[in-house]
């Protein structure tokens, strides 16, 4: 279990400065596009469409073939804040960091990923769902967490979690739509990760949906 795992190295509990910097980025860009695609070329084409629409915080998942190449491409894009998602091994941490990823996200918690991220001083956002998950992540020093899969229990569940865990900043991800995005912010989310609702379809469709999502966010 997470709470039973120990490490004798001198780690900053949550890469405090780097994580606070990323939290500040989320305050300015609270819509994180979670990029999944069948090929690296398709991912790059859709990422370009997202950026053209005005979304600059993009999470490239390791389910994308050659995800490191996609991250490396996006790092060179001016004003793009790019991270790696679906990070489940320490090897993927190294690949993501080598490519230039500025944050790491997992569907759950991995002690190995956590240690590798802390060694590299890169923000790591673990996935949580239950109060037990949250307490375990808190014990490892985390205060920014991904609520996943968010759509299973809805915004009311997030509102309920915030009462016993006011110190935690939640980024719900999974099944969030443009229509219900603002319900999550009203429930207390600091940011939302949006995947299929943004990135399915052609590049032109992705751009249109991203513009619609940003307009909804401004409301």
């Amino acid at each position: 279990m997470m709470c039973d795992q120990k490490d004798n190295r001198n780690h900053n509990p949550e890469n405090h400065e780097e994580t606070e910097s990323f939290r500040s980025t989320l305050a300015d860009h609270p819509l994180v596009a979670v990029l999944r695609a069948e090929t690296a070329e398709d991912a790059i084409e859709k990422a370009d469409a997202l950026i053209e629409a005005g979304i600059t915080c993009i999470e490239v998942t390791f389910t994308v073939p050659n995800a490191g190449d996609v991250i490396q491409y996006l790092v060179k894009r001016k004003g793009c804040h790019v991270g790696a998602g679906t990070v489940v091994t320490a090897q993927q941490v190294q690949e993501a960091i080598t490519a230039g990823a500025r944050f790491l996200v997992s569907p759950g918690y991995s002690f190995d990923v956590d240690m590798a991220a802390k060694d590299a001083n890169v923000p790591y956002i673990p996935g949580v769902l239950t109060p037990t998950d949250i307490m375990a992540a808190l014990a490892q020093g985390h205060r920014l967490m991904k609520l996943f899969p968010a759509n299973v229990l809805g915004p009311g569940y997030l509102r309920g979690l915030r009462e016993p865990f006011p110190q935690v900043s939640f980024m719900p991800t999974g099944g969030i739509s443009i229509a219900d995005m603002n319900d999550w912010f009203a429930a207390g989310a600091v940011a939302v990760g949006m995947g299929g609702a943004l990135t399915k379809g052609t590049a032109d469709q992705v751009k249109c949906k991203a513009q619609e999502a940003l307009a909804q966010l401004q409301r």
Side-chain angles (χ1 to χ4, degrees), residues 14-201:
E14 197 204 358
N15 307 336
H16 185 71
E17 290 184 6
E18 292 298 324
T19 301
E20 284 306 309
S21 175
F22 180 57
R23 210 186 306 249
S24 177
T25 297
L26 289 180
D28 294 332
H29 307 280
L31 177 55
V32 179
V34 181
L35 186 57
R36 298 185 186 277
E38 293 185 2
T39 66
E41 293 75 18
D42 187 36
I44 287 172
E45 187 176 0
K46 290 179 177 180
D48 284 337
L50 290 167
I51 294 169
E52 288 170 11
I55 291 178
T56 57
C57 197
I58 299 176
E59 173 190 328
V60 180
T61 68
F62 265 96
T63 58
V64 175
N66 300 310
D69 293 340
V70 180
I71 292 170
Q72 195 168 37
Y73 169 82
L74 291 176
V75 166
K76 296 175 183 177
R77 288 290 305 255
K78 189 174 181 180
C80 182
H81 195 96
V82 59
T86 321
V87 180
V88 296
T89 67
Q91 182 179 346
Q92 289 174 333
V93 172
Q94 297 307 321
E95 184 178 344
I97 291 170
T98 299
R102 297 175 62 185
F103 62 94
L104 307 168
V105 186
S106 289
Y109 176 85
S110 164
F111 183 77
D112 289 342
V113 168
D114 195 2
M115 292 301 103
K118 286 172 180 172
D119 278 337
N121 202 30
V122 173
Y124 170 51
I125 301 93
V128 297
L129 182 62
T130 68
T132 301
D133 295 339
I134 295 165
M135 290 170 65
L138 281 169
Q140 297 295 331
H142 293 280
R143 298 293 181 274
L144 175 60
M145 305 177 196
K146 165 184 171 178
L147 183 64
F148 178 82
N151 65 324
V152 172
L153 296 170
Y157 181 65
L158 172 59
R159 190 176 290 109
L161 287 176
R162 282 182 45 77
E163 292 186 6
F165 302 111
Q167 74 274 46
V168 177
S169 297
F170 290 102
M171 182 176 76
T173 306
I176 293 176
S177 69
I178 295 171
D180 68 13
M181 173 180 61
N182 284 342
D183 294 337
W184 289 99
F185 287 114
V190 297
V192 298
M194 190 179 296
L198 282 181
T199 61
K200 284 185 179 177

